[in-house]
Amino acid sequence: MPMIDSFRAYTISDPQYYDRVERSSEPGAFLELLRERVGDKAAVLDGVGIWARCLDRPLTELPEYGWKLHLAARPDDLATLMNAVIDEYLIDSFSFKVIRSPELGLAQLARWWSRGGAGKAVTVYPLSEEHARELAERFSARLGDLHGAHVLTDRRYPGSDVVQYRYGTFRKPPGIDDDGYPSSVVTGPDGKPWNDSRTPTFTLPSWVAEDPFAVPAAVDAPPADPTGLLKRYKIKSVLRHSPAGGVYLATGPDGAEYVLKEARPHTAFAPDGSDAPERLQREYDYLQKLSGTGVAPDGVELVTVWEHTFLVQSKVPGITMQVWLSRNHPFAVGKPDPSYPARAQTILEQIRTALATCLEHGIVYSDVSLTNIMIDDDETVRLVDFEACRPVGSDPAQYPRTSGFAPEPGTAAWGSDAAYLAYGVDAIEAATVMPRNALLAFRPEAFSRALAVTSRQLDIPLSGLPERLGLPEVTEEPADLLADTLRGLRAAATPERRDRLFPGHPEQFQSNTLSLAYGAAGVLRALHLLDGSVDAECTDWLVARLDENRPLPMGLYVGRAGIGLALLELGLDDRGLLAGATAEALSGDKRGGLATGLAGVGVAQLYAHRLTGSSEHLDQARAIADRLIDSASDDGTGLWWQQADPHPLGLMHGSAGVATYLTELGVAVGDSFLVKMGRRALGFDLAQGRPRFNGGIGFGAYTGSSPFEPYVVRGGSGVGLAVAHHLRLTGDETLVDPLWSIVRGVGMPFTVNPGYFAGMSGLIEFLLEAKAALPDDAATVDETIGRLVEQITSLRCEDASGTGFPGDGLMRQSCDVASGSAGVAMTLHRLQNGGDTLDVRFGRPAGVLSHAG
């Protein structure tokens, strides 16, 4: 279940919940323009994401794939572009789609947009290669005065800055992958499959021998570089990529390391109208002003190569403050550090001095953030990324800034440069106590509560910080937080919408909105288990969406196995979803993991057996176990199943999750061989543990990864859950010491998010399982659980409709099980009422729980 790269696109449409970006501009000025000018002559289709389509024939009559054209323009020229395309359509029709609104056109050029999709304001679907050439010539002649961003999947049509082309699919292929993402694989006329992946590079399928539109001498030739910049500076690695350009680590002619920042024209427009190259020029000018001050990198040179601007600057030693916090914050390292507050204050004082130095040189460093502050081994501070800076006395609204580190417009701190910068330092200080600054911008009252709780838990005085940040006073917790959370969940339901029932993690829009982890099935199941009341309108919504027969993956948390299981628990027929998932699991080469692979489908069948008593479900569960064992690899430490590269560890995607299934099934049917195989699978992930400074062991997200991850979805808590599970079921005392080591490795648990898969609710689930599996002395576990509960409840978001919780990223609330209120509520219920987990992961339905050993 790969997570999306950016949450930013999903915060534009709704101030409370993550939602689709296109809902920010309904119906959209360009959609209305299409309706007005061609609506009586062609089918103008709404409801297709960020696009409005104008088709001169049914979509099914267009080629499945072929040469397609993309037209790009600067934001101020988009209306001109749209009218020109419509004019050409009225002369001689063709099928095309346009971005629905000017706002979406601007967003599509932002740094946070997908690199492969950035800049595509219009897409045209020619009927043939000859038709593509004809249309490209028409557009090139008509749009010769306009300029647009280079679409990274494309080549520019010769002689045009606007018309671009690529070979690709016209309609989405009907299939999906194991995560539920639409498949981009088509079979060409040569019978070979081709993945139209839309990666940011020009590619051709095997059946297309050459590019028919390119000037022969220019095909695949590197951009002209009369400056010799890219020969003098050898690129070593990519530090960051965005639609606006990359940031690279390079070796200079003197053998030293340098950073090259690239800016692509007509991208990343700021409120003042500047694009990425203009701001890179400003950055170079600011670095010249600050030369010799020691607060910034040296600006070495500014060079244009082809149409891209490159700034060469000295490499600032050290790590970002964000990384520094992940390595030094007491909750991150897992043990108290009496020196931490003083060290943090020393860093803050250096930041104040650096910002004051910038002011003395006429520069307002207006984009204060954890990623723009560098800290070296001696804990000396320097600033980087000066492109968002502005002149003293300028309007801050016209320049980029990082949400959660800049004052809100209209507040007192907005009124002067000194106050603006002081707020930024105060926000950084808050992050040294509690790095949740996205919440400061989204729900300051929740940030205020959580900051007070964390300050008390760490014994770090705030010394007037909340007042300086203008935070509201801390409010009391509701009398019945669980009941109020369920009320908030029900109030958030939108059965009137077809695309989703409950607002949740943006991942639901990438895969499907029905799933157990991110979608409707998970929330409805949680409501059913927590208080037995599920609105019939909501279950009808789920059934209606299933009636549409859209393709779904097989897996437990994102696909048919989990949805079918939820239907059974809700007292409904599973509509053949479990049988279909199992048939797919037993055919072909499938993943092994719990979240999306074979083990998850097996859990669903075992769970269904316990719900219904049907032996058929149990037979299917055993068949899946046999397939898992037959497909396992063994490197000497234990069993593993191919999932992805790099190879994941933990409960959801690693061997630990498969171990829980094999062990649970083996104990249920009395098969000691399955139990043994479960232990072997557990051994693989356990062997990846590494010592931590606090005396415990920790786990990364993948084999060989260096950062420690504490989560259920990946890392320590997920492995720990599997260890506790095996110990509880089998009494295997060899696991007692490893389990205590994992508990210690999780240490003083603190995660940014409150949720289940990658947050504190999941950590509590692990600690409760560990407490049940370990000997009686579990006082330290209770203390840690209490601290986590206090953290979670402090993050609540209250209004008249009930209580909710911020989802992953803390930019908006979520309702789902994986990241939002439903998952938090399941953990709160277990804490309040005792008993076993309400999650499905071990195949034990509520009320049918039993343990062996």
Side-chain angles (χ1 to χ4, degrees):
M1 294 181 291
M3 296 299 175
I4 61 170
D5 293 334
S6 172
F7 289 91
R8 177 70 179 88
Y10 296 88
T11 65
I12 294 173
S13 300
D14 191 296
Q16 186 173 7
Y17 296 110
Y18 291 116
D19 210 340
R20 298 179 186 272
V21 64
E22 61 266 23
R23 293 182 66 86
S24 64
S25 57
E26 292 193 18
F30 297 147
L31 170 60
E32 291 293 348
L33 179 66
L34 274 180
R35 286 172 170 166
E36 178 184 334
R37 294 198 60 192
V38 302
D40 60 339
K41 302 176 182 65
V44 175
L45 304 180
D46 189 7
V48 282
I50 64 173
W51 302 100
R53 286 194 178 123
C54 176
L55 301 179
D56 71 339
R57 67 197 65 221
L59 186 63
T60 53
E61 293 183 12
L62 289 174
E64 184 181 0
Y65 44 75
W67 293 104
K68 56 204 290 190
L69 305 179
H70 292 125
L71 310 182
R74 291 173 63 90
D76 290 347
D77 293 326
L78 283 173
T80 300
L81 174 67
M82 299 301 172
N83 276 296
V85 170
I86 294 172
D87 289 343
E88 288 297 321
Y89 174 87
L90 293 174
I91 293 170
D92 191 1
S93 68
F94 48 87
S95 292
F96 66 99
K97 68 181 181 182
V98 304
I99 201 80
R100 292 169 47 141
S101 70
E103 295 81 8
L104 288 172
L106 179 62
Q108 207 189 26
L109 293 167
R111 292 184 184 277
W112 42 263
W113 201 267
S114 163
R115 290 178 67 222
K120 299 176 183 178
V122 179
T123 301
V124 180
Y125 302 101
L127 299 175
S128 64
E129 178 183 315
E130 295 72 21
H131 192 210
R133 187 183 300 277
E134 173 201 337
L135 289 170
E137 291 288 346
R138 286 166 61 184
F139 292 131
S140 297
R142 189 173 193 108
L143 302 168
D145 294 334
L146 299 187
H147 300 279
H150 176 212
V151 178
L152 293 176
T153 56
D154 292 28
R155 284 178 176 158
R156 284 204 172 112
Y157 192 74
S160 178
D161 196 34
V162 171
V163 182
Q164 303 170 59
Y165 63 91
R166 69 182 293 264
Y167 199 96
T169 54
F170 286 22
R171 306 187 296 272
K172 285 184 178 179
I176 54 173
D177 65 16
D178 287 343
D179 296 302
Y181 287 22
S183 170
S184 298
V185 177
V186 296
T187 301
D190 60 356
K192 295 181 179 179
W194 179 57
N195 184 11
D196 183 14
S197 63
R198 291 168 174 79
T199 52
T201 183
F202 183 85
T203 58
L204 294 175
S206 58
W207 61 87
V208 178
E210 61 182 18
D211 176 355
F213 307 114
V215 177
V219 173
D220 294 327
D225 181 14
T227 69
L229 177 81
L230 299 180
K231 292 182 179 179
R232 289 181 286 119
Y233 294 91
K234 305 295 185 183
I235 303 296
K236 294 176 61 178
S237 61
V238 178
L239 301 178
R240 186 170 65 250
H241 261 321
S242 81
V247 181
Y248 310 93
L249 182 64
T251 302
D254 58 356
E257 288 187 330
Y258 292 84
V259 172
L260 271 61
K261 296 184 67 174
E262 175 190 29
R264 298 177 58 234
H266 320 306
T267 63
F269 288 86
D272 69 343
S274 63
D275 68 357
E278 292 175 84
R279 290 196 303 283
L280 202 61
Q281 174 70 59
R282 294 177 189 173
E283 180 168 12
Y284 177 72
D285 295 340
Y286 288 138
L287 294 182
Q288 299 309 302
K289 286 186 176 184
L290 292 169
S291 178
T293 63
V295 304
D298 295 326
V300 179
E301 54 183 311
L302 188 75
V303 176
T304 299
V305 178
W306 185 43
E307 61 181 26
H308 295 193
T309 303
F310 286 88
L311 168 62
V312 181
Q313 61 185 36
S314 60
K315 181 180 181 297
V316 173
I319 55 178
T320 68
M321 190 166 184
Q322 185 177 56
V323 175
W324 185 88
L325 286 172
S326 73
R327 296 180 182 177
N328 292 277
H329 192 286
F331 282 166
V333 299
K335 64 177 182 178
D337 180 0
S339 72
Y340 175 77
R343 292 167 59 209
Q345 285 299 321
T346 299
I347 287 170
L348 290 166
E349 191 54 42
Q350 290 185 72
I351 296 170
R352 291 187 184 94
T353 300
L355 296 176
T357 300
C358 294
L359 270 184
E360 291 167 4
H361 288 76
I363 302 165
V364 181
Y365 188 87
S366 55
D367 193 17
V368 174
S369 74
L370 296 178
T371 56
N372 289 346
I373 297 166
M374 301 295 293
I375 303 173
D376 68 14
D377 291 343
D378 297 325
E379 297 196 341
T380 299
V381 168
R382 294 175 182 85
L383 306 177
V384 295
D385 285 346
F386 282 74
E387 64 181 83
C389 294
R390 57 185 175 86
V392 168
S394 56
D395 179 6
Q398 296 301 305
Y399 295 82
R401 56 194 183 275
T402 298
S403 180
F405 293 91
E408 291 297 309
T411 60
W414 192 263
S416 75
D417 294 334
Y420 186 101
L421 294 174
Y423 183 96
V425 179
D426 288 336
I428 293 287
E429 181 173 0
T432 66
V433 179
M434 183 195 70
R436 290 185 176 124
N437 287 62
L439 191 64
L440 174 57
F442 169 48
R443 294 297 290 256
E445 74 284 0
F447 184 89
S448 181
R449 284 193 300 268
L451 182 65
V453 165
T454 310
S455 168
R456 185 173 66 254
Q457 290 181 355
L458 289 172
D459 194 23
I460 297 178
L462 295 178
S463 304
L465 181 61
E467 291 76 18
R468 297 198 303 276
L469 288 172
L471 297 178
E473 292 185 7
V474 174
T475 58
E476 294 296 321
E477 183 180 324
D480 190 338
L481 180 58
L482 176 59
D484 216 48
T485 301
L486 297 182
R487 185 166 65 90
L489 276 172
R490 291 189 169 92
T494 55
E496 69 278 6
R497 284 178 59 165
R498 288 190 59 183
D499 62 330
R500 64 107 163 110
L501 180 58
F502 291 98
H505 196 293
E507 185 70 15
Q508 71 171 321
F509 298 124
Q510 301 294 308
S511 53
N512 66 83
T513 61
L514 312 182
S515 71
L516 210 58
Y518 303 108
V523 181
L524 295 179
R525 176 183 182 272
L527 291 172
H528 170 71
L529 293 177
L530 291 170
D531 69 3
S533 176
V534 178
D535 193 320
E537 190 177 16
C538 290
T539 53
D540 289 347
W541 184 96
L542 178 58
V543 170
R545 299 293 80 76
L546 290 169
D547 283 341
E548 294 169 356
N549 292 318
R550 296 179 183 177
L552 294 168
M554 71 178 190
L556 178 65
Y557 281 106
V558 296
R560 284 169 285 161
I563 298 167
L565 195 55
L567 290 173
L568 289 179
E569 287 192 278
L570 292 167
L572 303 172
D573 181 80
D574 83 331
R575 307 172 65 83
L577 293 174
L578 280 170
T582 303
E584 183 177 346
L586 294 174
S587 64
D589 184 18
K590 295 297 180 181
R591 298 173 180 175
L594 188 65
T596 60
L598 287 161
V601 179
V603 164
Q605 287 287 10
L606 178 57
Y607 200 130
H609 163 68
R610 288 171 166 167
L611 280 171
T612 65
S614 168
S615 60
E616 183 178 350
H617 289 301
L618 187 59
D619 291 342
Q620 295 295 334
R622 297 190 71 158
I624 290 171
D626 291 341
R627 175 58 66 92
L628 276 167
I629 292 169
D630 289 344
S631 60
S633 298
D634 191 340
D635 69 346
T637 64
L639 304 181
W640 59 275
W641 289 262
Q642 188 59 46
Q643 284 278 116
D645 188 21
H647 187 76
L649 300 174
L651 189 73
M652 295 297 179
H653 302 287
S655 292
V658 182
T660 63
Y661 172 57
L662 294 176
T663 302
E664 185 83 27
L665 179 61
V667 170
V669 299
D671 188 331
S672 60
F673 177 71
L674 288 178
V675 175
K676 180 180 178 181
M677 292 299 98
R679 182 64 179 86
R680 290 286 297 145
L682 189 57
F684 178 85
D685 276 14
L686 270 176
Q688 314 302 318
R690 292 174 286 119
R692 299 203 65 188
F693 292 127
N694 60 13
I697 58 173
F699 298 83
Y702 306 98
T703 54
S705 60
S706 55
F708 291 108
E709 301 269 8
Y711 309 116
V712 165
V713 71
R714 58 187 184 273
S717 289
V719 176
L721 276 165
V723 173
H725 173 259
H726 196 92
L727 176 55
R728 290 183 73 184
L729 287 182
T730 68
D732 182 354
E733 293 186 357
T734 65
L735 294 174
V736 171
D737 287 343
L739 183 54
W740 271 119
S741 294
I742 297 172
V743 171
R744 284 193 295 271
V746 171
M748 301 172 64
F750 171 95
T751 70
V752 169
N753 303 309
Y756 202 98
F757 278 19
M760 291 181 290
S761 295
L763 268 65
I764 290 174
E765 289 280 347
F766 159 56
L767 292 169
L768 289 171
E769 292 289 316
K771 180 182 173 184
L774 287 167
D776 294 337
D777 183 15
T780 56
V781 177
D782 285 335
E783 181 182 342
T784 303
I785 290 172
R787 187 164 55 243
L788 286 168
V789 171
E790 194 176 25
Q791 285 281 347
I792 290 172
T793 57
S794 73
L795 293 171
R796 65 189 183 276
C797 301
E798 300 166 317
D799 59 34
S801 65
T803 296
F805 287 88
D808 290 355
L810 303 182
M811 298 179 186
R812 294 293 185 269
Q813 289 174 228
S814 287
C815 292
D816 59 61
V817 168
S819 71
S821 299
V824 174
M826 288 164 64
T827 299
L828 293 176
H829 179 274
R830 186 178 184 187
L831 287 164
Q832 184 173 302
N833 298 284
D836 286 277
T837 179
L838 296 181
D839 194 8
V840 302
R841 60 179 173 258
F842 301 147
R844 295 185 237 134
V848 196
L849 302 171
S850 61
H851 304 287

